[in-house]
Each structure stands twice: as structure tokens, then as C-alpha cells.
Amino acid sequence: YMARSAACHLLDSYEGNLMNFDENFRMVLYTGAKYLTRAIGDDVYYLTQDNDIFLEMYKEKIDYAHEIDPDLIFEGCVFETCGPETDKYEIPEYVFEAFDLPVEKRNFDSSKMLYDDGTWVNHFGDGISMPDMSKLETQMWWYYRATVLIDHGFEALHLGSTPSISYVDETQGYVAWKRVTDLIREYAKNHARRGYVILN
């Protein structure tokens, strides 16, 4: 798979339409690529709820591609950003349960994801920051976004600029990343098409 990988934004869209999907997919088949890294990338860098209207479209195209070549792996992305749009997502019950927390009705809170010393706060503009993976809220958000992508056919995940969001977690032996990736892999066992997910 690594020898047949290709960075190909096959599923990125423009104004709600996939750009040249058929031609891009023909190129994938012609070259023999098997691992399509960043199959969705630009659409979700600054994630908004508007992006999620494309989820079923992604799944439809992935299912179609697998009918032709079942060996293909599509990679989705959970990027190193959080902000006001993050706060619009309600936390599903299964996320609380995965982290052994009491279930409550609330949305994600990006203010609980930030570095205490202000590192990377507003890095991408007003209110849009790089989060701190040592924060529980950040871990829950990464897990949630990973599960959404797995549910829609992605079997590999790019997890963002991990060094930038790991300054604190690094000093703690990467316990937060270990927890998150373990939970993502556990979810994939029961929900991914082949029972696993590739993480990078």
C-alpha cells in the first residue's frame, strides 16, 4: 500500500460538487494507486457544519469505487484546528461513554481545548486556534471526528499536525494520543469496512 500510495484530493468539492471525480478516479485506476492519501483534505481544514452535508456524497463515491476496486483505501483528515464552528457540534452519547464520562446534553467547547499559556491561540485568525491534545475536550473531538469519517467509508485517517498540538502531551509520555488512537482503533474494529483503520 505504501508503494502504491498517492496524494489525491479525490473527494474535495467546490460549491457542493465533486471536481472532475470521474476523470480523477480514472487516473487512480490507470496508475494502480491503492492508498489515496488526503482523499478529502481542503474541505475539512477549517471544518464547518456545512461540510457535513457532503458526508453522504463521500460515502456514495467510496462505495462506488469499492465496487470497482475493493482494495482501495481512502484517507480522511482530522486537522489541527478548533474554533466557533467546533462549538456548534453536539457531543453524541457514545463519545461520553467511550471516555467513561457521565452523558450530558451539550456541545463541544473549543475554549476547553486551548493551550493554557496561549500557544497557537488565534493562530489561523480570530477565534481559530490549534488545540492542545492533553485536554480531554480535544481528545473527545478527535475521537468524534474520526468515528464520523470511519462511518462514511474512510479506512485511513491523517490526524493533523500532531507535533504542534502535542507540546504538553509529549512531556506526559503521549498518554493522550495513546488513549485517542486506542479508542479510534477500537471503534474501527466494529465499524470500519475491514475492521481496522490506518492512522498517520
Side-chain angles (χ1 to χ4, degrees):
Y1 273 97
M2 293 304 294
R4 292 179 176 271
S5 65
C8 180
H9 289 211
L10 195 65
L11 298 174
D12 275 339
S13 62
Y14 177 72
E15 295 183 351
N17 297 302
L18 292 183
M19 296 179 289
N20 302 316
F21 174 84
D22 291 336
E23 277 297 282
N24 289 333
F25 185 53
R26 188 169 70 89
M27 179 273 295
V28 167
L29 296 175
Y30 182 80
T31 59
K34 296 295 184 183
Y35 177 21
L36 307 178
T37 69
R38 299 204 181 202
I40 175 176
D42 291 349
D43 271 2
V44 295
Y45 198 85
Y46 299 111
L47 185 68
T48 71
Q49 285 191 304
D50 290 342
N51 296 124
D52 279 2
I53 65 174
F54 301 132
L55 285 171
E56 294 306 319
M57 180 171 61
Y58 301 149
K59 188 174 189 310
E60 176 186 322
K61 293 299 185 183
I62 291 173
D63 289 346
Y64 164 76
H66 282 151
E67 289 178 7
I68 298 170
D69 185 349
D71 292 332
L72 290 170
I73 289 178
F74 288 79
E75 180 185 87
C77 300
V78 185
F79 285 118
E80 64 283 0
T81 62
C82 67
E85 292 294 330
T86 312
D87 302 341
K88 296 178 181 179
Y89 286 83
E90 185 173 348
I91 305 177
E93 288 186 12
Y94 73 87
V95 174
F96 289 112
E97 292 167 353
F99 286 85
D100 296 319
L101 296 172
V103 175
E104 55 180 305
K105 187 172 180 60
R106 72 173 180 88
N107 289 7
F108 285 98
D109 184 348
S110 60
S111 70
K112 295 179 179 179
M113 301 181 186
L114 305 178
Y115 280 104
D116 292 334
D117 65 1
T119 299
W120 298 126
V121 172
N122 297 322
H123 176 71
F124 296 107
D126 189 25
I128 305 175
S129 308
M130 280 199 208
D132 173 0
M133 183 51 72
S134 72
K135 298 298 182 71
L136 179 59
E137 197 82 359
T138 305
Q139 297 166 38
M140 293 168 64
W141 172 251
W142 247 255
Y143 173 70
Y144 166 66
R145 290 310 302 176
T147 63
V148 168
L149 291 173
I150 289 170
D151 286 345
H152 288 84
F154 293 92
E155 297 179 278
L157 299 171
H158 168 70
L159 296 177
S161 178
T162 53
S164 302
I165 60 180
S166 302
Y167 293 159
V168 176
D169 193 36
E170 180 183 9
T171 67
Q172 299 171 349
Y174 293 106
V175 292
W177 269 117
K178 177 69 164 61
R179 185 182 194 186
V180 170
T181 53
D182 282 352
L183 286 172
I184 293 171
R185 290 189 175 104
E186 193 63 32
Y187 187 88
K189 286 180 183 178
N190 298 313
H191 296 86
R193 189 171 69 104
R194 286 179 273 196
Y196 63 80
V197 63
I198 297 171
L199 304 178
N200 82 62

